[in-house]
Amino acid sequence: MLNNELRYFLAVATTGSLSQASQQLYVASSAISRQIHKLESRMGVTLFQRHARGMVLTDAGQILANHVRKSLRDMDNAVAEIQGLKAVRKALVRLACTDGMAFDLFPGLIARFRRHYPSVSFDLQVGTAQAVAEWVRKGTCDAACQFSLAPERDVDIVTSWPAPVLLLLHPGHPLAQQEKIAISDLQDYPVALPEPGTTIRQLFDLSCRLAGTFLEPALSCNNFATLYGATRQLSGAVTVCSHFSVLWRAKQDGMVLKPIDSPTLSQRTLQLQTPASQNRSAALNLFLEETVATLTQAHHSHFPPASHAPK
């Protein structure tokens, strides 16, 4: 439990004003102000910059707020474990991912986990790569999956897998019979692509430039479900994705994934991330363990290790 000094300090740090903290705590503003002055005197630092519009944390105040919030999270985790979370009682796991991961992978992972632990519920946030990275850094999610071209800073990477960009097409497509497909082979077909700015689009556009091939997409969209639908409904259409994005759906629908003959398209990894140095609940640890096992097995099934590859 927090003493009054820290409780009042955190309320002002969160709301940004004495009056709002007063309403939240049902304590007079003057009493809150006295406790904060007492805390500042005891620590020998100024914790807030006082402005007419509110209270803004100083660097020292931000450090203290981070430590107090971490202590509260640690206490919540300890209480949860004491109450039997290791047996996985009712718990919430907060996840984040980019759009491609929300199409098939995360619904499948969540469904498989809940078959064994139906008391665990999930909150899934879907956003851009920049938004997901920010959520992980700020600790507003417990775990995230996203494609990356380089190691992310200020997060813990649980593990990562190679995630080359592959061509997704209908089994009746003329290119489905080719072992490898060149960028130039796509000129005669409508190409559906993710919007510019995504890692997959950046790599694909770079591959086109290196190959000296110009491709005008028939469809550009920021929603992978739409791109996937286009390959099934638009005659001759193809799109690009990772095998993780359609881990179960491609097989279910009989869709085909083919490698594209361009080294540039092999630069991505799929990273499973958690906030840096954050204690993990028992439910989260179980979900991470199952996710790592599932994705590692799925990756080896799609790309067998060289020593076990069929001859």
Side-chain angles (χ1 to χ4, degrees), residues 163-167 200 203-204 240-242 258-260 265-266 268:
V165 178
L166 303 174
L167 193 69
I200 191 169
L203 290 177
F204 187 81
V240 288
C241 66
S242 162
K258 289 286 184 178
I260 303 172
L265 297 178
S266 298
R268 287 195 317 171

Side-chain angles (χ1 to χ4, degrees), residues 181-252:
I181 297 165
I183 292 287
S184 58
D185 292 335
L186 305 181
Q187 290 179 305
D188 298 328
Y189 304 99
V191 180
L193 293 176
E195 64 180 347
T198 57
T199 58
I200 191 169
R201 181 66 183 269
Q202 291 171 356
L203 290 177
F204 187 81
D205 288 346
L206 177 59
S207 295
C208 288
R209 289 196 295 272
L210 292 175
T213 301
F214 175 77
L215 291 175
E216 181 70 30
L219 170 65
S220 179
C221 184
N222 65 350
N223 179 263
F224 182 71
T226 301
L227 299 175
Y228 185 87
T231 63
R232 293 172 54 77
Q233 299 182 48
L234 181 60
S235 177
V238 298
T239 191
V240 288
C241 66
S242 162
H243 58 296
F244 291 115
S245 299
V246 289
L247 193 58
W248 297 287
R249 186 69 178 271
K251 184 176 181 180
Q252 174 187 321

Side-chain angles (χ1 to χ4, degrees), residues 8-298:
Y8 295 174
F9 161 77
L10 191 58
V12 176
T14 302
T15 62
S17 93
L18 286 170
S19 59
Q20 290 186 46
S22 173
Q23 294 174 13
Q24 183 185 95
L25 296 171
Y26 299 101
V27 176
S29 297
S30 57
I32 296 174
S33 181
R34 283 196 300 273
Q35 290 290 346
I36 290 176
H37 278 296
K38 182 180 175 183
L39 181 61
E40 288 179 323
S41 296
R42 187 160 61 82
M43 298 187 71
V45 295
T46 300
L47 298 173
F48 290 99
Q49 295 176 349
R50 276 82 170 169
H51 300 287
R53 295 182 179 179
M55 309 269 281
V56 179
L57 288 168
T58 62
D59 289 344
Q62 187 64 63
I63 291 171
L64 180 60
N66 290 341
H67 278 284
V68 172
R69 288 176 177 133
K70 183 178 184 302
S71 295
L72 288 174
R73 287 197 302 267
D74 291 346
M75 179 61 72
D76 288 343
N77 289 336
V79 170
E81 299 231 351
I82 290 169
Q83 292 177 344
L85 188 55
K86 290 213 173 198
V88 188
R89 63 170 182 80
K90 186 174 181 180
L92 172 68
V93 175
R94 303 169 305 160
L95 302 174
C97 69
T98 49
D99 176 67
M101 298 289 92
F103 173 70
D104 183 42
L105 181 64
F106 265 70
L109 291 171
I110 291 169
R112 283 160 173 75
F113 186 82
R114 279 182 53 86
R115 286 175 197 157
H116 300 106
Y117 306 103
S119 61
V120 178
S121 56
F122 291 85
D123 177 80
L124 176 62
Q125 299 179 80
V126 181
T128 63
Q130 292 81 3
V132 172
E134 189 69 12
W135 293 335
V136 182
R137 280 194 291 268
K138 287 187 174 180
T140 56
C141 67
D142 300 316
C145 254
Q146 65 170 321
F147 295 110
S148 181
L149 297 176
E152 288 288 339
R153 294 179 300 169
D154 304 322
V155 303
D156 288 341
I157 299 175
V158 179
T159 192
S160 64
W161 301 268
V165 178
L166 303 174
L167 193 69
L168 178 73
L169 60 169
H170 192 275
H173 196 285
L175 295 177
Q177 306 307 313
Q178 295 183 201
E179 282 302 314
K180 271 197 175 184
I181 297 165
I183 292 287
S184 58
D185 292 335
L186 305 181
Q187 290 179 305
D188 298 328
Y189 304 99
V191 180
L193 293 176
E195 64 180 347
T198 57
T199 58
I200 191 169
R201 181 66 183 269
Q202 291 171 356
L203 290 177
F204 187 81
D205 288 346
L206 177 59
S207 295
C208 288
R209 289 196 295 272
L210 292 175
T213 301
F214 175 77
L215 291 175
E216 181 70 30
L219 170 65
S220 179
C221 184
N222 65 350
N223 179 263
F224 182 71
T226 301
L227 299 175
Y228 185 87
T231 63
R232 293 172 54 77
Q233 299 182 48
L234 181 60
S235 177
V238 298
T239 191
V240 288
C241 66
S242 162
H243 58 296
F244 291 115
S245 299
V246 289
L247 193 58
W248 297 287
R249 186 69 178 271
K251 184 176 181 180
Q252 174 187 321
D253 293 341
M255 300 295 284
V256 175
L257 286 167
K258 289 286 184 178
I260 303 172
D261 193 11
S262 171
T264 304
L265 297 178
S266 298
Q267 295 179 8
R268 287 195 317 171
T269 62
L270 175 65
Q271 296 181 356
L272 179 59
Q273 306 168 345
T274 59
S277 305
Q278 179 172 302
N279 287 345
R280 300 171 187 168
S281 69
L284 176 60
N285 276 330
L286 282 170
F287 179 76
L288 293 175
E289 289 170 10
E290 288 206 4
T291 297
V292 169
T294 299
L295 297 194
T296 299
Q297 180 182 15

